[in-house]
Amino acid sequence: LGYAGVYYHRDPELFYRRLSEPERRALMQRLRGLYQTIVLEYFQSPETANARIDELVALAFFADIGAAQLLELHMGLMEDFAKQLKLEGRSEEILLDYRITLIDVMAHLSEMYRRSIPKPAPRDP
Amino acid sequence: LGYAGVYYHRDPELFYRRLSEPERRALMQRLRGLYQTIVLEYFQSPETANARIDELVALAFFADIGAAQLLELHMGLMEDFAKQLKLEGRSEEILLDYRITLIDVMAHLSEMYRRSIPKPAPRDP
């Protein structure tokens, strides 16, 4: 994370809440696709997962996506996985491990936001 | 979370990295105490836990504590709990549930930082 002190100029027109319905759906679909890849590669291929985490975090940041939306993404994916595992007659226990993946992605997103708060200017009281 | 759009003026003199060694230790001790209460009350008394989460998040925010430090706090506490459970001959499985607590606290901290990024001024290109 080498972007300490950099203040990104985000375009509020690109914020999720300003997007049209079809644009929102397209964005969420990209985020969901990335998050699914992250989850599937997380323990098998950490390098791939890390690159995708950076991608997802940047995408989320510029759209001002919050932790709650990331959590929803996670829950939706876990539900899908649970159904799949049930169909295959396998235990859902593995899904607990993916909480670690969520914690990692959320930590990265949180750091992105924390480091984007501009330093107080000397004129501040 | 009703503080959208409020821009907090933080005093960088109070940031963790600017504190003296004894001040750092005192701050981490307060955070650790709060986090322990949160974990212990999380499933039993959500209201108490939520009040403590707000307290911890505010304390962390004004000290510019990041997600990585929160994660360390969690891991340290889980290690202590694991030792205790081992001594008592009990399973460590319950510790997996506390990942949910960490996710919740991290989400709150992340939102605090996200909402503290000032909106771009109209003068921005």
Side-chain angles (χ1 to χ4, degrees):
Chain A
L1 291 173
Y3 43 74
V6 174
Y7 176 45
Y8 288 101
H9 288 276
R10 297 186 297 170
D11 180 357
E13 293 301 314
L14 301 177
F15 284 4
Y16 178 81
R17 59 183 172 279
R18 300 274 194 98
L19 299 180
S20 67
E21 241 344 289
E23 286 171 325
R24 284 183 181 193
R25 268 200 301 275
L27 175 64
M28 288 318 284
Q29 213 158 13
R30 276 186 71 194
L31 288 171
R32 201 174 295 121
L34 277 170
Y35 192 67
Q36 178 162 340
T37 306
I38 291 163
V39 164
L40 293 175
E41 302 289 345
Y42 193 78
F43 297 105
Q44 269 168 308
S45 158
E47 272 182 43
T48 309
N50 280 333
R52 292 295 159 274
I53 289 176
D54 290 345
E55 218 176 307
L56 180 144
V57 164
L59 200 59
F61 174 76
F62 283 102
D64 201 42
I65 297 281
Q69 273 170 291
L70 177 60
L71 189 57
E72 272 174 43
L73 216 66
H74 176 84
M75 310 261 270
L77 189 63
M78 291 306 111
E79 257 175 53
D80 292 349
F81 281 5
K83 275 181 212 151
Q84 189 61 32
L85 289 168
K86 214 170 191 172
L87 279 176
E88 298 174 9
R90 290 159 63 197
S91 155
E92 294 176 20
E93 212 164 319
I94 190 187
L95 299 183
L96 293 180
D97 286 339
Y98 294 141
R99 286 182 191 156
I100 295 175
T101 315
L102 174 62
I103 288 165
D104 196 4
V105 176
M106 199 177 271
H108 275 81
L109 184 61
S110 173
E111 284 300 88
M112 189 79 176
Y113 285 123
R114 185 173 70 89
R115 289 165 187 237
S116 298
I117 301 175
K119 306 220 179 316
R123 67 170 184 281
D124 285 340
Chain B
L1 289 174
Y3 44 74
V6 175
Y7 177 46
Y8 290 101
H9 288 275
R10 298 186 297 170
D11 180 356
E13 292 302 316
L14 301 177
F15 284 4
Y16 178 82
R17 59 183 172 278
R18 300 273 194 98
L19 299 180
S20 67
E21 238 348 284
E23 287 171 325
R24 286 183 180 193
R25 266 198 303 274
L27 174 64
M28 289 317 284
Q29 212 158 13
R30 277 186 71 194
L31 288 171
R32 201 174 295 122
L34 278 169
Y35 191 67
Q36 177 161 341
T37 307
I38 291 163
V39 163
L40 292 174
E41 301 290 344
Y42 193 78
F43 297 104
Q44 270 169 305
S45 159
E47 271 181 47
T48 308
N50 280 334
R52 292 296 159 274
I53 289 175
D54 289 345
E55 216 176 310
L56 180 143
V57 164
L59 200 60
F61 174 76
F62 283 104
D64 201 41
I65 296 280
Q69 273 169 293
L70 177 60
L71 188 57
E72 271 175 44
L73 216 64
H74 175 85
M75 310 262 269
L77 190 63
M78 290 306 112
E79 255 175 56
D80 292 347
F81 282 6
K83 274 180 214 152
Q84 189 62 32
L85 289 167
K86 214 169 192 174
L87 279 178
E88 297 172 11
R90 291 159 63 197
S91 155
E92 295 177 19
E93 212 164 319
I94 191 187
L95 299 183
L96 293 181
D97 286 339
Y98 295 142
R99 287 182 191 156
I100 294 176
T101 316
L102 174 61
I103 288 165
D104 196 3
V105 176
M106 200 178 271
H108 275 79
L109 185 62
S110 174
E111 283 301 87
M112 189 79 176
Y113 286 122
R114 186 174 70 89
R115 290 164 187 236
S116 298
I117 300 174
K119 305 218 180 317
R123 67 169 186 280
D124 285 340

